[in-house]
Amino acid sequence: DEDDSFRVPLSNEIVLKGHSKVVSALAIDHSGSRVLSGSYDYTVRMYDFQGMNSKLQSFRQLEPCEGHQVRSLSWSPTADRFLCVTGSAQAKIYDRDGLTLGEFMKGDMYIRDLKNTKGHISGLTGGEWNPKAKDTILTSSEDGSLRIWDVSDFKGQKQVIKPKLARPARTPVTSCAWDFEGKRIVGGIGDGSIQIWNLKPGWGSRPDIHVEKAHSDDITGLKFSTDGQILLSRSMDSTLKQLIFTGTSIEKDGTSGGLLCFFSRRKLELESKVGISPSLSVVRCAWHPKLNQVFATVGDKKEGGTHILYDPAISKRGALVCVERAPRKKSIDDFEAQPVIHNPHALPLFRDQPSRKRQREKVLKDPLKSHKPELPVTGPGFGGRVGTTKGSLLTQYLLKQGGLIKETWMDEDPRDAILKYADVAAKDPKFIAPAYAETQPEPVFAKSDSDEEE
């Protein structure tokens, strides 16, 4: 329009849920039928507008690399494959249905010159498929290099690009992108610079365009305009450089939530703001040209989702298709025959023998059935036996019950029991004493030798 105004599809909104943490990567295929979302919960979820109903559930969930966050997702030009970049050093290629096609090689971290390595040696920060060449992709890494790969060869990259630095150091490349013709690449460097390379015969690592100190912090996103005349960049320094629309993060002490901010390309003035979430930051955003729908991913450490803004009057397909396809409500007249489940391992032939543990425990408690041996003799008794009757013989038991056998010695003091026979022994000696009664009436005891005692 003459006044440079535009109409943003904002009248309706849906949310693709499923992730348990912030959604950090987003990719919509060129036809607008499938959406990929990657998260810090290490998973990638695949959504299909043609197959979803209003419940908006993903049809597949992937975990590309265990324990590594998903950093970037990108469809191939023909949308038959997609690139998945995680925090690991190896990017993966999947087909349209989420089956793994291959994983790129990791380089040798002990080789000092990055150009002599066959792959990245540190975690990846970004990646994008060439928009024109179906077998070429670009990746950037914390090891300080950009690499161009051929999808048909996972054993090594085609080209290693080392950015120009003020002083030799291993500075990470935080983001990368292709232009829409696939003839230029751009990298956001950790020192705040933006460097652009033209792909031409004999080109090397020296950049064609080098913008020093473009930002004062890490560059989180780069994008060429469709006509290739404008480069858009976004940084953690809260500045916008030639940006058309972007998402914002929530501030610790701020009052506003995550927003989408739209700017005029011609005047670079703020046209409108759209609140996406009151408590979550906007991480990735995309405006699909065919669907005319705006995608924005949000999340934190506990949840994550993808918001889709659309207007039924000006948007096409996409969210409109699945929202109208509400799940059928069950009727009280519905009937479904319960199928008979045949489980061959449930037959007696395959069945495990019933447990006899309880039966064995019961037998062990019965002394007769368990053939328990008699316990050893302990304490006093009669006839070498000690039982519950204090004697295993019936006669002994009857004599005790009748009072004929009295066991009082157990309750007496041993010294008193001996001394009570002292007078009887003196008056009527029976054993040794009578033999010496005539020759030695008075007992003579040996006197102790004091020397021996000492």
Side-chain angles (χ1 to χ4, degrees), residues 168-370:
R170 189 161 286 183
T171 306
V173 182
T174 57
S175 58
C176 63
W178 293 92
D179 72 342
F180 277 83
E181 297 298 323
K183 295 180 180 179
R184 289 182 294 178
I185 60 173
V186 60
I189 318 303
D191 60 3
S193 67
I194 295 176
Q195 302 183 26
I196 301 175
W197 293 265
N198 292 321
L199 274 64
K200 54 189 177 184
W203 69 286
S205 292
R206 182 176 293 276
D208 295 285
I209 299 176
H210 184 194
V211 183
E212 295 184 15
K213 298 181 181 179
H215 290 279
S216 60
D217 208 336
D218 286 349
I219 299 168
T220 57
L222 292 167
K223 198 77 173 177
F224 278 98
S225 62
T226 52
D227 58 7
Q229 298 299 314
I230 294 179
L231 174 67
L232 322 172
S233 66
R234 181 72 161 102
S235 171
M236 295 179 68
D237 61 8
S238 301
T239 61
L240 320 175
K241 300 293 176 69
Q242 300 291 330
L243 198 63
I244 305 304
F245 93 111
T246 185
T248 65
S249 302
I250 57 171
E251 300 292 339
K252 289 185 178 180
D253 301 326
T255 57
S256 62
L259 306 173
L260 276 180
C261 301
F262 294 83
F263 291 80
S264 165
R265 173 174 168 175
R266 186 178 303 171
K267 302 176 183 178
L268 292 181
E269 295 177 353
L270 180 65
E271 293 281 345
S272 65
K273 290 183 179 179
V274 180
I276 299 298
S277 174
S279 59
L280 303 176
S281 301
V282 177
V283 180
R284 297 277 183 171
C285 56
W287 191 341
H288 199 275
K290 290 187 177 180
L291 302 181
N292 196 16
Q293 297 172 14
V294 178
F295 296 74
T297 69
V298 299
D300 58 10
K301 293 181 179 180
K302 297 181 180 179
E303 61 176 317
T306 303
H307 291 246
I308 304 177
L309 307 177
Y310 65 98
D311 189 336
I314 58 177
S315 300
K316 299 177 181 179
R317 302 194 311 275
L320 293 170
V321 176
C322 56
V323 169
E324 296 172 355
R325 194 182 294 123
R328 178 184 175 276
K329 295 181 180 180
K330 290 189 176 182
S331 170
I332 57 174
D333 298 324
D334 288 353
F335 170 76
E336 182 179 354
Q338 296 298 327
V340 180
I341 300 175
H342 298 280
N343 185 0
H345 293 284
L347 297 173
L349 177 64
F350 301 101
R351 191 180 302 161
D352 294 334
Q353 294 297 323
S355 175
R356 299 181 183 273
K357 183 178 179 181
R358 289 185 179 179
Q359 187 176 356
R360 287 196 303 270
E361 290 177 351
K362 189 176 181 182
V363 169
L364 288 173
K365 290 179 181 179
D366 189 344
L368 295 178
K369 291 184 178 180
S370 64

Side-chain angles (χ1 to χ4, degrees), residues 142-161:
E142 296 170 354
D143 63 10
S145 68
L146 295 99
R147 295 174 194 250
I148 297 176
W149 305 78
D150 191 336
V151 178
S152 60
D153 181 17
F154 291 98
K155 296 181 180 180
Q157 72 276 334
K158 288 170 58 179
Q159 181 85 17
V160 180
I161 304 104

Side-chain angles (χ1 to χ4, degrees), residues 78-96:
T78 54
D80 60 337
R81 293 167 292 179
F82 67 87
L83 166 69
C84 178
V85 173
T86 63
S88 69
Q90 296 170 275
K92 278 190 173 183
I93 302 294
Y94 292 87
D95 70 358
R96 186 175 175 81

